Each structure stands twice: as C-alpha cells, then as structure tokens.
Amino acid sequence: MNHLTREQVARRMAHDIPDGAFVNLGIGAPTLISDFLLPDREVILQSENGILGMGPAPAPGEEDPELINAGKQPTTLLAGGAYFHSADSFGMIRGGHLDICVLGAFQVSARGDLANWSTGAPDAIPAVGGAMDLAIGAKQVFVMMDHLTKHGESKIVPDCTYPITGVACVNRIYTDLAVLDITAHGVVVREILADISLESLQAATAVRLLGP
C-alpha cells in the first residue's frame, strides 16, 4: 500500500493551519510542520519548555545548544519571539490560549479519545510530558500519526486499549493515508492522501468510516 512520508504529511498539515493561529507542535513528528508553514501566514508557535515565536529547525551547523524545543531538538527564534518559565508556559496551555496543538498518538478512538504516552508494555518508558494539558487546553487537537502500527494494526480503534491521555479531545487526524475528522456522527474521511481507494482505506481502519 502506498504511504506518504512524514514530511509529506507535515506539509499537508501545514496548509490547514490558519493565519494568526497560536500553535503547539508536540514532540516528535509534529515538529516537522514548522519547516512547512506557509510564508504568507503568520503562525505563532509555542513550545511548552518556554518559547513563543519559535521558528523552523536551524540549518546544519547553525544549531544553538541553548535553544531547543520541548523534544530537546535544536530550534530557532523568530523576530519578536520570547522565552519564559514553565508556569507561564502551562498558564498559556491550561488557560485556553492555544488555537491548535498537534500531537502524536499510539491510538485514537472513534470518539476522539487519545492515547499517546504509554503502551502499558512492561519495558515501555511512560513519558506523558505536557500532553494531558495540551489535550484539554487547546481549542483544537490535531493528531499526526501513521495509520497502522508496525505490525499492520489500525491505530484508529473503537476503544483505546492503551492508557488514555485525554477523553474525546481529538478533532482531526492526519495519517500517512488520509485526513479524518472526529465528529458527533463518527469518523469522517475528509481527504485520502495516498493512492488508494476508499474501500482500501476502510479495510485498513478498525472503525466504520463515513464519507465527506
């Protein structure tokens, strides 16, 4: 089955972030979005370790070891950007001041429950970070993840079997196969990204899909 790369998914997501939005990009693949934001839009990126006005990843050789994002990756600061401590950062998050957060996920349920911090496996290292705060604090929660696990199982499930990060918090899912919305009526396919049919997408998904 044809799949988009994570860079292609990040580029597609960047097109849906509106001008003027305050956005937190979660640790891991969501940070790729900062490299694809449209130049004609002003999007203000917040990082929970205390940055507002975060820019894209630095060019090779221009990394500043004292300027890192929440995932400890080198980043940049745009003109007008600011640093602050964790209390202010989480005040922004819990106070509902973020328009969108983008998080990775192990599973998302048909109701929009999010599981992204532990598989519960005995050798797993639980690392919830600020995800629980982001999941309930942002006005919209987008998820960026592979459609299937490495064992070929659907990551969109009727009910999450992993520990929950947030209940009914996910609004939209971007996978390497499709863009899907969580609605009151179910999981709606907004766009198929890969070169597959709706029937193939349904076969790869453990919940019933609704057309746009």
Side-chain angles (χ1 to χ4, degrees):
M1 184 179 294
N2 179 31
H3 298 254
L4 267 64
T5 66
R6 289 186 174 176
E7 287 76 12
Q8 289 173 315
V9 178
R11 184 186 296 276
R12 172 61 188 83
M13 289 190 73
H15 280 264
D16 285 352
I17 297 179
D19 186 39
F22 286 80
V23 180
N24 182 292
L25 303 178
I27 293 171
T31 60
L32 295 172
I33 296 167
S34 66
D35 294 336
F36 299 107
L37 293 172
L38 302 184
D40 61 343
R41 297 179 190 173
E42 184 182 22
V43 175
I44 300 92
L45 297 182
Q46 194 255 15
S47 183
E48 66 210 56
N49 61 322
I51 306 173
L52 191 66
M54 186 172 67
E62 297 183 5
E63 299 90 349
D64 179 348
E66 296 187 356
L67 180 51
I68 58 173
N69 62 24
K72 300 181 176 62
Q73 299 169 311
T75 188
T76 56
L77 187 72
L78 301 179
Y83 307 116
F84 37 85
H85 57 72
S86 290
D88 285 338
S89 179
F90 279 84
M92 293 176 187
I93 296 169
R94 295 170 184 169
H97 302 291
L98 294 179
D99 296 304
I100 298 169
C101 75
V102 184
L103 298 170
F106 293 133
Q107 292 176 329
V108 177
S109 81
R111 294 182 300 275
D113 300 335
L114 171 67
N116 80 340
W117 65 281
S118 175
T119 62
D123 59 345
I125 301 174
V128 69
M132 288 184 178
D133 298 277
L134 289 163
I136 63 167
K139 295 171 185 170
Q140 292 189 86
V141 176
F142 292 172
V143 162
M144 178 180 175
M145 67 179 187
D146 293 336
H147 204 93
L148 303 172
T149 70
K150 61 183 178 182
H151 301 297
E153 299 164 339
S154 175
K155 297 177 74 171
I156 302 173
V157 293
D159 297 288
C160 293
T161 57
Y162 295 153
I164 296 293
T165 306
V167 174
C169 59
V170 176
N171 302 100
R172 174 168 282 193
I173 307 168
Y174 295 79
T175 78
D176 50 348
L177 298 181
V179 181
L180 309 108
D181 280 344
I182 304 294
T183 75
H185 305 290
V187 181
V188 177
V189 179
R190 294 301 182 198
E191 184 178 347
I192 298 177
L193 302 177
D195 185 20
I196 60 171
S197 65
L198 178 60
E199 290 73 21
S200 295
L201 180 66
Q202 177 64 81
T205 311
V207 303
R208 177 172 172 262
L209 299 178
L210 305 175

